[in-house]
């Protein structure tokens, strides 16, 4: 038998097609609920470092869309990791796989209910990795999740991660979003 995961997950792909509106470009590639099916999907798709600039992968719990507006995300935010563009070839895929394994492996223990999903943005100006949590007001849980993420991704203590509230990020003018917490 296959090894069941604690949650059912959906892998989304955002294709950067300016002819459609943003939400229409978000498509589910596959859903899975076992370890074996995760690997079948992961090994089948292009690695994150190979998809076109402007595109994203997202892995979210089934029933949660990778959008601020989803009721599960509306009051939440994201831990954001900005990746140096020189690191795409070496670090990006490792970071993204480790993040995926944190999600499906419920690495955040009793805080896993706060986790909604994760997004990797492939961008010319530098790739981004975001871990989305449900409730931006749960400071202690968010800080603990951020610290666990840094450890799992082996991010050095000198690197500061920022947590951005989606409400601020969706309304931001220009490129700087307010950051609420850091670890
Ligand atoms: C329902 N809806 C429209 C909507 N709902 C959303 O949830 C949502 C958007 N729109 N996003 C749009 O993409 C632009 C780039 O953000 P980016 O994160 O790709 O980052 P870059 O600026 O391309 O680096 C954002 O400025 C925003 O326009 C982003 N986003 C998450």
């Amino acid at each position: 038998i296959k090894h069941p995961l604690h949650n059912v997950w959906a892998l989304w792909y955002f294709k950067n097609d300016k002819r459609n509106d943003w939400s229409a470009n978000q498509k589910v590639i596959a859903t899975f609920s076992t370890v074996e099916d995760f690997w079948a999907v992961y090994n089948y798709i292009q690695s994150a470092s190979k998809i076109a600039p402007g595109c994203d992968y997202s892995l979210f719990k089934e029933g949660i869309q990778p959008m601020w507006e989803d009721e599960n995300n509306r009051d939440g935010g994201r831990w954001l990791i900005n990746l140096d563009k020189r690191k795409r070839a070496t670090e990006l895929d490792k970071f993204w796989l480790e993040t995926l394994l944190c999600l499906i492996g419920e690495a955040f223990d009793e805080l896993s209910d706060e986790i909604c999903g994760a997004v990797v943005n492939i961008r010319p100006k530098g790739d981004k990795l975001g871990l989305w949590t449900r409730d931006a007001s749960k400071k202690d849980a968010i800080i603990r999740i951020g610290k666990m993420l840094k450890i799992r991704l082996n991010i050095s203590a000198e690197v500061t991660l920022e947590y951005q509230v989606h409400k601020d990020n969706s309304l931001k003018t220009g490129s700087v979003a307010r950051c609420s917490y850091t670890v």
Side-chain angles (χ1 to χ4, degrees):
I1 58 142
K2 293 182 177 178
H3 299 76
L5 297 172
H6 189 74
N7 282 291
V8 182
W9 297 91
L11 183 73
W12 298 70
Y13 181 70
F14 175 83
K15 183 174 175 4
N16 183 26
D17 181 346
K18 300 289 183 201
R19 290 167 300 179
N20 308 323
D21 68 359
W22 187 88
S23 318
N25 284 332
Q26 287 283 11
K27 297 265 194 291
V28 174
I29 299 174
T31 58
F32 52 84
S33 60
T34 66
V35 173
E36 291 79 3
D37 289 342
F38 161 73
W39 286 113
V41 171
Y42 181 78
N43 290 323
Y44 165 71
I45 59 173
Q46 281 270 52
S47 58
S49 60
K50 296 280 185 308
I51 63 178
C55 296
D56 310 337
Y57 277 131
S58 301
L59 186 78
F60 274 71
K61 287 174 181 171
E62 187 174 50
I64 305 180
Q65 296 185 300
M67 303 173 190
W68 300 314
E69 296 74 9
D70 187 290
E71 62 182 9
N72 298 279
N73 295 322
R74 199 172 37 224
D75 300 323
R78 68 173 177 178
W79 279 111
L80 179 64
I81 300 171
N82 286 297
L83 294 162
D84 181 296
K85 69 178 77 173
R86 290 182 301 253
K87 298 245 173 71
R88 177 180 298 169
T90 56
E91 305 279 302
L92 178 70
D93 292 333
K94 277 190 299 188
F95 269 20
W96 178 235
L97 176 56
E98 192 57 40
T99 303
L100 294 173
L101 294 176
C102 284
L103 293 178
I104 67 171
E106 305 296 331
F108 304 101
D109 302 321
E110 80 284 351
L111 299 176
S112 282
D113 284 349
E114 285 307 305
I115 302 293
C116 294
V119 181
V120 61
N121 305 116
I122 304 306
R123 298 292 183 275
K125 56 185 189 276
D127 303 328
K128 293 182 283 184
L129 203 158
L131 180 68
W132 289 34
T133 75
R134 167 181 307 282
D135 182 343
S137 69
K138 293 196 175 167
K139 180 180 169 78
D140 293 352
I142 289 169
I143 296 289
R144 282 162 59 202
I145 288 169
K147 286 180 175 168
M148 290 157 94
L149 183 66
K150 276 183 92 168
I151 291 167
R152 279 291 295 263
L153 266 52
N154 203 11
I155 293 172
S156 68
E158 293 87 67
V159 173
T160 301
L161 297 195
E162 293 185 348
Y163 184 86
Q164 298 170 341
V165 176
H166 293 322
K167 281 199 175 76
D168 301 327
N169 208 2
S170 56
L171 302 171
K172 77 176 183 290
T173 52
S175 64
V176 182
R178 200 166 71 85
C179 128
S180 298
Y181 313 123
T182 58
V183 289

